[in-house]
Amino acid sequence: GLLDENAARRLISEPVSDYGLVYDDLALDKMLKATAGHPYFLQLLCHTLVNSLNRQRINYATVGDVNRALEEMLGLGEAHLAFLWEQAAPRERAVLAALAHLLSAGEVGTVGAVTSLLVDYGLEPDPSEVTQAMQRLAAQDLLQSVGDERACYEFQVDLVRLWIEQFKSLTQTVQGIRTVETPPRSTR
């Protein structure tokens, strides 16, 4: 399960406190938001960040340092992130890619916005299909509903969004689905 905020902060700070490493408050907040307290991702981020700071002989971590570590970490966590992606059904992957696209653009991740974006990209999902997909992804702890509206979602672990944004384009995801779902034409 996910660590609560206090446990996550202790995991980040305590192992390095004897060595004089200090984290800026914004750096800590960014680490918590990116990992949501997911133990594997949090430890991988800490490992990547501390190694980077050690190479630079720096003992104060800023949000910029965390951002650079996140970029490096996306490659290191590739196997786990790819596994999460492959476990999703093709149409769920389209929902994930559309949601990542919307959130990265500063949009709100509503069922309506995801449905509309998928229509713009050539899929014709029913809003109820998108709702069900988002609910299944939330049950798997990939997404979480936010706000008063139950039809609004974000990624539970923001690192998943960053990985999808960087490695899984919405265009390619939709094309893959359309290729599989479109029956071959008869040559008669």
Side-chain angles (χ1 to χ4, degrees), residues 1-172:
L2 301 177
L3 300 174
D4 65 39
E5 185 175 339
N6 289 332
R9 285 181 183 274
R10 283 194 312 274
L11 180 62
I12 293 167
S13 301
E14 287 178 7
V16 295
S17 64
D18 290 345
Y19 300 98
L21 179 56
V22 177
Y23 294 90
D24 177 273
D25 287 340
L26 292 175
L28 280 172
D29 291 344
K30 178 72 177 202
M31 293 173 78
L32 295 171
K33 178 165 177 34
T35 66
H38 188 289
Y40 171 76
F41 292 129
L42 188 55
Q43 287 187 335
L44 186 58
L45 178 56
C46 288
H47 173 77
T48 305
L49 179 61
V50 169
N51 282 345
S52 174
L53 295 171
N54 284 341
R55 284 191 303 272
Q56 300 173 64
R57 298 184 186 276
I58 297 173
N59 65 352
Y60 185 78
T62 66
V63 71
D65 297 317
V66 173
N67 287 334
R68 285 186 290 282
L70 283 168
E71 285 294 318
E72 184 180 339
M73 188 185 140
L74 288 176
L76 296 173
E78 173 81 20
H80 189 75
L81 293 163
F83 175 78
L84 293 174
W85 179 261
E86 292 302 321
Q87 293 303 301
R91 290 231 171 203
E92 290 173 344
R93 289 184 211 144
V95 167
L96 290 169
L99 183 61
H101 183 85
L102 288 167
L103 296 176
S104 295
E107 303 288 330
V108 178
T110 63
V111 169
V114 169
T115 303
S116 178
L117 186 59
L118 290 174
V119 167
D120 290 348
Y121 275 75
L123 287 181
E124 297 293 331
D126 184 87
S128 67
E129 176 188 3
V130 173
T131 298
Q132 291 170 359
M134 293 176 101
Q135 289 170 346
R136 282 191 305 273
L137 293 164
Q140 297 166 17
D141 293 328
L142 286 171
L143 301 181
Q144 62 186 3
S145 62
V146 293
D148 296 335
E149 234 183 289
R150 293 184 77 62
C152 188
Y153 290 84
E154 65 182 20
F155 286 86
Q156 184 163 11
V157 176
D158 197 50
L159 185 63
V160 175
R161 178 193 60 82
L162 294 171
W163 181 80
I164 291 170
E165 178 184 7
Q166 186 166 345
F167 295 107
K168 302 294 179 186
S169 80
L170 180 56
T171 301
Q172 290 174 329

